[in-house]
Amino acid sequence: MPDFRKKSEFLDAYSKFYPFLRPYLAMAVLGLLLTAPVGALDAVIAWFLKPFMDNLMVERQEEFSRWVPFIIVGFTIIQGVFIYLSAWVNGYVGNRITLDLRRKLFAKLLRMDTGYFDANDSGTILFRYFNDAEQAATGLISNIKLFLTKFFSSVALVGVLIWNSWHLTIIALAVMLFIILPMSIVRKKIKKIMKKTMVLSSAILNLYGEVASGNRVIKSYNLNRHMMDSFEEAAQGSFKMSMKMIRDTNWLSPFMHIVASVGVALVIACGGYMIVNGIITSGTFVSFLAALIMLYTPLKSIGNNYIQVQQSIVALGRIYEIFEVQTVTDAEELQEQSARKPELREIRDAIEFREVHFAYNPENEVLRGVSFRAPKSSSVALVGNSGGGKSTIVSLLPRLYEVTGGQILIDGRDIREYSLTSLRDSIAYVFQDNFLFNTTIEENIRIARPEASDAEMRAALEGACLTEFIDALPDGLSTEIGEHGTRLSGGQRQRIAIARAFIKNAPIVILDEATSALDNKAEKIVQEALANLMKNRTVFIIAHRLSTIENSSRILVINDGRIAEEGTHEELMARKGAYFSLHNVKAAAAGPAPENATAEV
Ligand SMILES: Nc1ncnc2c1ncn2[C@@H]1O[C@H](COP(=O)(O)OP(=O)(O)OP(=O)(O)O)[C@@H](O)[C@H]1O
Ligand SMILES: [Mg+2]
């Protein structure tokens, strides 16, 4: 039974591979057809040894020797042309499939849920999405090719063997049966080792990323040693795994060598006896032996070939694990195909959170029944202790995460009922830690709405208090800002994110600590602009600096995943509860003139 399972696993891998092969099937078949003569031509040379030996060596026909060398070189030239053509065709197919796999994997990566990126580090993503595609595609293609070349050559050579002497053929082939068991042992080992290799390689890739993006922390905390140690550990582990792979699998080739030499030895022993007794001619024997040695040569390397095929199959299996993940975006697209969901264009009535529960991990509930209403064009401020759940609440609105209980409604309809694209199109979001792309300032802003006019662009820059800064730059808007905007100050990065939200011109605005990194002057200007932006829009604003939210229509104090208090600034101050003490603590910490400072904006 285990043998059957093994076969089905192999077939399973190729059937998964087939959809990717199908567009290039004609090319692939051509590649294989070109491969066939390459293998079979080997046999011609072996086959030729018989007339050569018998006619020339034994019967001394000299004229035979004149054309044999030409034939051999001629065949080899033909073989060479075929080898080149088949390498080209197979290479094309392999690389095209790698391209398709990478493209499909990248598209899938873009659709993965936010939680997936919480759970998987960038090293794992690089390894699984970049490495595996190549290993699976080119690995399988080039190995199918090698496998088949060897297969065709083997078939032709076995033909030569049988043609020469079927007695000796039985001996030679019987010996080969001894290689089947070790192949299945090796297969199991490969699977195990590759799993560990992936973990270690991902860890190494991660470290490169950390050095690149964390180099300032690494330098200022003198972490070179620490990073080196982490690297050493992963790299040594990876080295050990590579050696384990070699140790546990590479005995396959020498083992096959030994099996082959036993076969050759037996054939020589029996063949000698048969020549002496006149059962076969010496020409037959030499031809047989040459074919046998040629047959065993690919057999010996088929060991390595087999290891690579197994590795490709493991890689392909991992790729399919990724394809099989059901993401929110996938599910949405599927639903969209069957029935178009209504688009969210504007808000007519209100946004409502109804008994919303949420947990990042099942064992730890972060939001525990949050209910509130944000009427159209109002502004809702969320304040409260750090880690209370403010950012979490607003991240549920564009469905970065799905509620685990309760509902979020827009105009009385669950947000899950609107088309996801239109929902996200309706929200301009300034995050607590904004991501900037490694490109120009202009592109980083315009990305939110590429069709925005120049006037809108200027208004966005003005509103985000960026005009002065950009005018002073020699390259202006075309200034490259580096990875994560590393060439900018924290406040400049934040203002670019605000400009991005401005230009999006969406009916819902989420500002999560949007002005926390600005100086007083910039904050004042941005606040005024935001006040403009907030007109006619439904706004969620999170701020630790309470002065920035006093004018909000409604203030929610979020503590421990619950709404501890809610009301307007005046109501909450009069209540002398959580907001009041929060306000006083912050005001006292702000300096000697708290009254003025908080009343300013
Ligand atoms: N991606 C995540 N995976 C798991 N837990 C998370 C994740 N993001 C946040 N948390 C946890 O959820 C809780 C609420 O976090 P959240 O970011 O919503 O707090 P916050 O009120 O915005 O705090 P702050 O004022 O410091 O920004 C915290 O305990 C935090 O540790
Ligand atoms: Mg937060």
Side-chain angles (χ1 to χ4, degrees), residues 464 466 488-498 514 516-519 522:
L466 272 170
L488 300 176
S489 79
Q492 288 158 354
R493 281 199 285 269
Q494 201 167 45
R495 278 180 281 162
I496 289 180
I498 293 172
S516 62
L518 304 189
D519 60 40

Side-chain angles (χ1 to χ4, degrees), residues 264-278:
V264 171
L266 282 175
V267 164
I268 289 178
C270 300
Y273 171 85
M274 288 164 90
I275 294 174
V276 172
N277 290 284

